[in-house]
């Protein structure tokens, strides 16, 4: 099967990317602030609540593995459209059920739809020779903005709309705004002549022959793991150090805010190619320094440690941008995206669980912070490796 290149206008592409990027995260980030209300409303057990909180990483990983296979049959744009439709359907329907198992099942459908977008949107961006850096910048920024909006407005929306159900359903309705644009693009793609087609190959272990792919997987996986760990545990680390809940929450929010700067800046920095080795090396160094500060003096300069962790978080938009920048063709971009992101999100899903187990076994955060800081070493190696302008396509040949 093949992928077809869509020579759509840049303006239409910009609108489509804005809408899809803003809608790939709120469905995953909005339940967190309402978890207590969701559990009470569904009479959900603690065990199932734990499963529910781990679903985003698991679904992004497992469903992402089949995204390219689907795109081979329906096209990249068609796969994105199907993903958006599944996400909207799952989010809207799950808010109306009173059964905890059906709620989990519909959550899997919604998150699986988002996973298709995670993998296929970078490949779609690669088909656009004009405005590629701009599209990548908007996409990376939109992902972070959408995730932040989902978490920030979940509780206020529940208060304004009458409960957690309409609050969660809201993000399903928002996705509906994106579907007509992507359906139109998919129709255009379907009607193109055969000479616009490009072959697509599903990701496989042969990609491990590419050092760039291995480094990208490490960078994406390690940083994604830290993002989930920080969202889940960093406020508690600060609170255990004596800070108030409000201060701890503000420090966590500052990491997301600073991260937006990275999403805006990194695609252009990568395109210019200046001083990449030093910039990329700083990701691992900042990570080690941030956790070292939390270990030695967590309450002394807490904003310094959160800022350092935020700077290390620039590795996430960098990895997203490099999936496009370190591949030559949309087909290989799809392959790399379909390998790097699923593996990374699976690592992200187990990270917070392992941190919780280690903390429970030791009774404090010292060993946890040492282990987390140590992961800055492979992050530094992978980041420096990716500073060189190598291409996966060439390595696979």
């Amino acid at each position: 099967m093949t992928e077809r290149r869509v020579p759509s206008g840049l303006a239409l592409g910009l609108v489509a990317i804005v809408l899809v990027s803003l809608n790939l995260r709120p469905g995953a980030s909005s339940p967190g602030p309402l978890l207590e209300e969701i559990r009470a409303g569904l009479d959900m057990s603690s065990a199932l609540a734990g499963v529910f909180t781990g679903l985003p990483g698991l679904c992004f990983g497992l469903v992402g593995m089949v995204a390219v296979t689907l795109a081979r049959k329906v096209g990249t744009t068609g796969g994105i459209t199907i993903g958006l439709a599944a996400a909207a359907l799952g989010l809207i329907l799950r808010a109306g059920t009173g059964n905890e198992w059906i709620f989990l099942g519909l959550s899997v459908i919604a998150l699986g739809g988002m996973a298709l977008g995670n993998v296929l949107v970078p490949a779609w961006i690669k088909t656009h020779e004009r405005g590629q850096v701009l599209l990548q910048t908007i996409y990376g920024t939109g992902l972070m903005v959408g995730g932040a909006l989902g978490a920030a407005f979940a509780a206020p929306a529940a208060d304004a709309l009458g409960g957690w159900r309409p609050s969660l359903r809201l993000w399903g309705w928002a996705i509906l705004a994106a579907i007509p644009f992507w359906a139109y693009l998919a129709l255009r793609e379907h009607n193109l002549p055969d000479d616009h087609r490009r072959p697509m190959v599903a990701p496989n272990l042969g990609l491990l022959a590419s050092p760039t792919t291995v480094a990208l997987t490490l960078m994406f996986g390690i940083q994604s793991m830290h993002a989930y760990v920080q969202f889940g545990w960093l406020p508690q680390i600060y609170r255990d150090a004596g800070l108030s809940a409000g201060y701890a929450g503000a420090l966590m929010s500052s990491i997301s805010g600073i991260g937006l700067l990275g999403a805006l800046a990194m695609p252009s920095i990568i395109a210019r190619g200046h001083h990449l080795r030093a910039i990329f090396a700083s990701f691992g160094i900042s990570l080690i320094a941030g956790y070292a500060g939390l270990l030695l003096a967590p309450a002394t300069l807490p904003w310094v440690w959160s800022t350092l962790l935020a700077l290390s978080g620039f590795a996430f938009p960098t990895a997203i941008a490099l999936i496009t920048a370190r591949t030559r063709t949309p087909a290989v971009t799809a392959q790399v995206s379909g390998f790097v992101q699923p593996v990374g999100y699976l690592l992200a899903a187990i990270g917070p669980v392992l941190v919780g187990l280690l903390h429970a076994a030791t009774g404090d955060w010292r060993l946890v912070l040492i282990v987390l800081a140590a992961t800055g070493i492979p992050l530094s190696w992978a980041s420096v490796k990716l500073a060189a302008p190598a291409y996966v396509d060439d390595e696979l040949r």
Side-chain angles (χ1 to χ4, degrees):
M1 300 301 292
T2 56
E3 174 201 16
R4 300 177 182 180
R5 185 179 176 190
V6 184
S8 57
L10 181 58
L12 181 59
L14 287 172
V15 174
I17 286 296
V18 167
L19 290 173
V20 74
S21 64
L22 288 174
N23 280 295
L24 288 181
R25 289 296 182 272
S29 63
S30 56
L34 300 173
L35 186 58
E36 182 177 339
E37 289 79 5
I38 293 171
R39 288 186 59 189
L42 297 174
D43 195 23
M44 183 182 289
S45 67
S46 297
L48 276 184
V51 171
F52 177 59
T53 57
L55 278 182
L58 290 172
C59 289
F60 287 172
L62 295 176
V63 179
M65 291 180 178
V66 302
V68 177
T69 300
L70 174 65
R72 293 176 66 192
K73 300 180 181 298
V74 301
T76 304
T77 314
I80 295 170
T81 306
I82 291 172
L84 289 170
L89 181 69
L91 293 178
I92 291 171
L93 292 181
R94 78 173 180 180
T97 184
N99 183 282
E100 57 186 350
W101 290 103
I102 295 176
F103 182 87
L104 289 179
L106 290 169
S107 295
V108 169
I109 292 174
L111 293 165
M114 298 173 209
L116 295 179
N118 288 340
V119 171
L120 297 179
V121 171
W124 186 87
I125 290 174
K126 190 65 178 181
T127 65
H128 288 70
E129 296 177 1
R130 288 194 311 118
Q132 197 171 107
V133 173
L134 177 59
L135 290 172
Q136 187 62 63
T137 302
I138 292 173
Y139 176 61
T141 305
L143 287 178
M144 301 190 73
V145 170
L149 289 176
F153 285 96
D159 293 338
L161 299 175
W164 63 268
R165 294 182 185 275
S167 177
L168 295 188
R169 188 182 291 118
L170 174 67
W171 304 111
W173 295 123
I175 293 176
L176 293 179
I179 293 177
F181 289 90
W182 285 95
Y184 171 72
L185 292 173
L187 181 63
R188 290 181 59 179
E189 175 183 313
H190 179 74
N191 291 332
L192 286 175
D194 290 347
D195 58 3
H196 282 79
R197 296 178 181 179
R198 294 173 182 258
M200 290 189 73
V201 180
N204 55 69
L205 293 179
L207 285 168
L208 293 175
S210 161
T212 297
T213 300
V214 173
L216 258 175
T217 303
L218 278 175
M219 174 190 268
F220 187 91
I222 292 172
Q223 177 48 41
S224 296
M225 180 196 71
H226 282 286
Y228 277 67
V229 167
Q230 289 163 16
F231 276 117
W233 291 108
L234 186 59
Q236 190 60 51
I237 293 173
Y238 274 128
R239 292 188 67 179
D240 288 349
L243 302 183
S244 68
Y247 194 7
L251 290 167
M252 184 65 248
S253 297
S254 72
I255 292 179
S256 299
I258 296 172
L260 287 176
L261 299 178
L264 287 168
M266 291 313 301
S268 296
I269 290 173
I270 292 168
R272 293 190 182 98
H274 300 314
H275 310 297
L276 292 187
R277 186 179 295 271
I279 294 171
F280 286 12
S282 71
F283 301 153
I285 294 171
S286 297
L287 187 78
I288 294 170
Y291 284 122
L294 286 172
L295 175 66
L296 300 174
T300 303
L301 295 170
W303 60 271
V304 172
W305 318 138
S306 64
T307 299
L308 286 168
L309 293 177
L311 293 175
S312 74
F314 283 21
F316 178 78
T318 299
I320 292 291
L322 286 173
I323 290 173
T324 302
R326 292 294 181 259
T327 52
R328 294 190 184 276
T329 66
V332 176
T333 303
Q335 267 193 292
V336 173
S337 183
F339 185 88
V340 168
Q341 295 201 60
V343 173
Y345 281 122
L346 288 175
L347 179 60
I350 64 175
V353 177
L354 294 178
V355 166
L357 292 174
L358 192 56
H359 177 255
T362 61
D364 60 39
W365 294 108
R366 286 177 294 180
L367 183 56
V368 170
L369 293 171
I370 291 171
V371 171
L372 291 174
T375 62
I377 297 173
L379 177 60
S380 295
W381 175 86
S383 301
V384 171
K385 175 69 178 175
L386 291 166
Y391 293 91
V392 175
D393 315 55
D394 302 337
E395 293 171 345
L396 293 178
R397 294 193 190 104

